[in-house]
Structures are given as structure tokens and as C-alpha cells.
Amino acid sequence: MKGRILKGIAGFYYVDVPEAGLYECKAKGAFRKAGVKPLVGDFVDMAVIDEEKKVGNVEKIMERKNELIRPAVSNVDQAMYIFSVTKPKPNLNLLDRFLGMMEYQDVPTVIVINKVDLDTEGETNRLKAIYESAGYQVITTSMKSGKEKEILWNVLKGKTTTVAGPSGVGKSTFTNLMHGTTVMETGAISEKIQRGKNTTRHSQCLALGEDTYLMDTPGFGSMLIPEIEKEDLSDLFREFRDYSPQCRFQGCAHIHEPDCEVKRALEDGKISQSRYDNYLLLYEEVKNRKKY
Ligand SMILES: Nc1nc2c(ncn2[C@@H]2O[C@H](COP(=O)(O)OP(=O)(O)O)[C@@H](O)[C@H]2O)c(=O)[nH]1
Ligand SMILES: [Mg+2]
Ligand SMILES: [Zn+2]
């Protein structure tokens, strides 16, 4: 039977088979020998061992569309980064790190600014402008009111989306809101998975509907992918790529070099100061990072 790994804990993989339900599976020793580790998000072939107990074996892992490094999940179509206009206050440095990581892994990202009902200073529009001009889709919403439910659902529909963002911004509210629009039978699956939740947080995939999945992954945190070199960083700020080919020096870091088009774009207001400042911070961080 064909299914998808929605969760993995301590050597067990929970495989969702449409129509048939959720199976607790072990992976064949052959995978271990080949150095392949099944991932949350994998599409697999599964053999039933005990239908009553819903126990099976993962026989084959289908070719992956992609594989994220951290968190280790596969077959992700897009990322959604949620933050709130206030309560908690936005941390754009965290957001820019996240965007950089997703650029590095070629995962398109949609930005959601939540709690616009609490905005009294036009902060939402200021933030939206920064990221739209950087080339990102930005959705502003108040999850509490459920107003933009349709818009959000249309972004998710037919895709696997990994959701990230600081604590308290409304990620769980979002997940619940999206669950509300789903077909009944997937509800039971996600409940079963939720019940298995323990203190260590694991990545898990939530089936919202046919071909529509949310990935709830811990550990995006504030890290940068270790392989990123300072020379790579500029390309991870997508709007910089519009200007960097015209810099006088190849490999321009856009910091002290003369005739730098990125800095010119900054002066002209085409690149936002906040994005540029975070680039500088990350550049220093990567430069000074200890090599192991
Ligand atoms: N004012 C307001 N509060 C919200 C909104 N969305 C979520 N919240 C509240 O923010 C708090 C944190 O939400 P939660 O979904 O648990 O955030 P998470 O930590 O990212 O999962 C809860 O008390 C929610 O009710 C919103 O659009 N406006
Ligand atoms: Mg939550
Ligand atoms: Zn430059």
C-alpha cells in the first residue's frame, strides 16, 4: 500500500494510507544498510503486518522531491513563516535568517503577518512593504477572526507546507483554522498523532485534505545552516541578486567595496535598510563562526 510518513519516533514511522488509516511501521534493515533513513514527509510503499493492530513495514521509499537539512523532512513544496505585528514584537533578524535558509534549500516562502487587529500604528503596512519589495508574497491576517481563511487555504491547497515562526504568533491558531476546512476523515488521523505527542518535540506532518499537508517542525530556531559561507550569503537575500551582477567586483560583499550596486540600491531605497542590516549581522556571524 502507498502511504506517507507523517511522524517518526524512536525507530517507528507512522504511515498514513488514504482510506485505510494510520499504521505504525518499522523500516526494513535494508535501509539501514544502505544508509537511508526514512524521513517525515516520505512517500512510501508499506506492507501490512497486522491489520487489526495497524502495524506494518516500510518497504520502499519513493524518490524525494527534496530533503531539508534542518529540520530533516522531505517533499516540502513551500514554507510559511508566520509572525505577528505585535505581541510578540516582530524579530526581523529571525525572519531574514529563515528566509535565507529557505533560499539556500530552494524552498519558496510565503510570509504571514498575523494579529493585524492589534496594529494601531500602520506597522503592518511598513513590514509588508519591506518583504514585498524583497520579492515575497505577504499575507496580512487576523487568525482570530478567521477573515482570511480562504486566502490562506488557497496558499496551502494541494501542497506540503512547512510552518515556522516564533512562539505565540498564532501558529496553532492557524493550524486549527485550516483544520476546520478539511474533510472529516483526516481529523481522526491528526488526533491520533497529537495524542502521541511527548515532551521531546518531533517533526510531524498533518494531513489537511487530499494532497494538502502541513508540517509542524521544531528546531528552525535561530540557526544558520552550517555549510553557508559568507560568500554565499548575498545570494540568499533574493533582492540583492537583482543588483549584485552589476557590482564592480566579482564576489563583492556589498560592504566596503566601491561601485557596489547593492549599496546603491540601498541608498535609492530599493533595498530596505532592515534587510541590509540583517545581511551585515549575518555576514559577521558567518565570518566569525568557528569551524569544526
Ligand atoms: N489578537 C489576536 N490574537 C491572536 C490572533 N491569532 C492568535 N492569537 C492569540 O495569540 C496567542 C498565541 O497563539 P498560538 O496559536 O498558540 O501561537 P503559537 O505559539 O504560534 O502556536 C493565543 O492566545 C491566540 O488566541 C489574532 O489574529 N489576533
Ligand atoms: Mg503553538
Ligand atoms: Zn556589491
Side-chain angles (χ1 to χ4, degrees):
M1 293 202 281
K2 292 201 186 309
R4 188 169 201 192
I5 298 179
L6 298 190
K7 184 167 185 165
I9 292 182
F12 287 101
Y13 301 96
Y14 296 85
V15 177
D16 173 39
V17 179
E19 315 281 297
L22 193 68
Y23 292 82
E24 184 177 86
C25 296
K26 286 242 170 199
K28 280 168 58 166
F31 292 129
R32 221 171 315 121
K33 277 186 211 128
V36 179
K37 200 176 146 40
L39 296 175
V40 169
D42 276 344
F43 292 100
V44 298
D45 262 339
M46 185 213 72
V48 177
I49 293 174
D50 186 329
E51 178 56 41
E52 206 144 288
K53 289 189 185 143
K54 291 284 187 195
V55 168
N57 226 334
V58 174
E59 302 276 307
K60 187 178 171 207
I61 299 169
M62 304 303 156
E63 197 182 325
R64 291 167 182 153
K65 169 189 163 162
N66 61 14
E67 188 181 328
L68 301 202
I69 303 165
R70 230 188 294 173
V73 291
S74 67
N75 300 313
V76 173
D77 296 311
Q78 62 184 358
M80 178 177 273
Y81 190 94
I82 305 178
F83 70 98
S84 51
V85 63
T86 181
K87 291 188 177 175
K89 268 171 87 165
N91 180 333
L92 299 188
N93 187 275
L94 280 187
L95 170 56
D96 289 335
R97 275 165 199 267
F98 182 84
L99 294 174
M101 271 173 27
M102 291 302 119
E103 291 290 334
Y104 185 75
Q105 301 180 92
D106 270 327
V107 177
T109 303
V110 177
I111 296 169
V112 174
I113 307 178
N114 189 32
K115 307 197 188 184
V116 299
D117 55 295
L118 302 178
D119 181 14
T120 49
E121 295 149 31
E123 186 66 356
T124 306
N125 288 335
R126 186 184 74 85
L127 294 165
K128 188 171 191 243
I130 293 174
Y131 289 93
E132 278 186 342
S133 75
Y136 289 97
Q137 182 186 355
V138 181
I139 298 169
T140 59
T141 176
S142 170
M143 308 270 187
K144 224 175 179 174
S145 77
K147 235 174 37 188
E148 283 83 10
K149 193 166 154 179
E150 280 303 308
I151 296 170
L152 293 166
W153 177 251
N154 282 327
V155 172
L156 300 186
K157 209 165 81 186
K159 291 183 175 153
T160 296
T161 305
T162 181
V163 179
S167 167
V169 300
K171 295 184 300 300
S172 297
T173 309
F174 168 71
T175 305
N176 292 338
L177 186 67
M178 292 300 104
H179 244 170
T181 66
T182 65
V183 282
M184 291 300 283
E185 65 258 30
T186 58
I189 291 166
S190 39
E191 267 165 39
K192 192 167 172 182
I193 289 175
Q194 301 266 327
R195 252 188 285 129
K197 219 174 192 172
N198 48 24
T199 44
T200 356
R201 291 256 286 116
H202 296 269
S203 293
Q204 63 178 43
C205 194
L206 232 60
L208 288 185
E210 209 184 329
D211 299 328
T212 302
Y213 296 87
L214 275 189
M215 273 185 184
D216 179 11
T217 54
F220 272 119
S222 60
M223 78 295 174
L224 270 178
I225 288 164
E227 298 83 43
I228 294 177
E229 300 289 345
K230 62 184 190 309
E231 292 77 17
D232 301 335
L233 207 57
S234 152
D235 275 349
L236 303 184
F237 283 69
R238 60 187 304 173
E239 69 275 39
F240 290 18
R241 300 197 291 248
D242 296 339
Y243 306 101
S244 50
Q246 279 86 52
C247 292
R248 192 209 295 183
F249 296 105
Q250 217 191 335
C252 180
H254 326 303
I255 302 174
H256 301 300
E257 297 88 341
D259 290 331
C260 169
E261 283 301 310
V262 169
K263 278 195 292 177
R264 185 160 304 141
L266 175 71
E267 277 155 28
D268 293 349
K270 290 176 190 149
I271 284 178
S272 89
Q273 190 67 47
S274 131
R275 290 273 291 167
Y276 183 77
D277 290 346
N278 284 330
Y279 167 74
L280 291 184
L281 285 172
L282 288 183
Y283 189 91
E284 281 306 305
E285 186 178 317
V286 171
K287 197 174 89 181
N288 298 327
R289 188 176 49 196
K290 283 199 184 69
K291 294 250 166 28
Y292 295 100

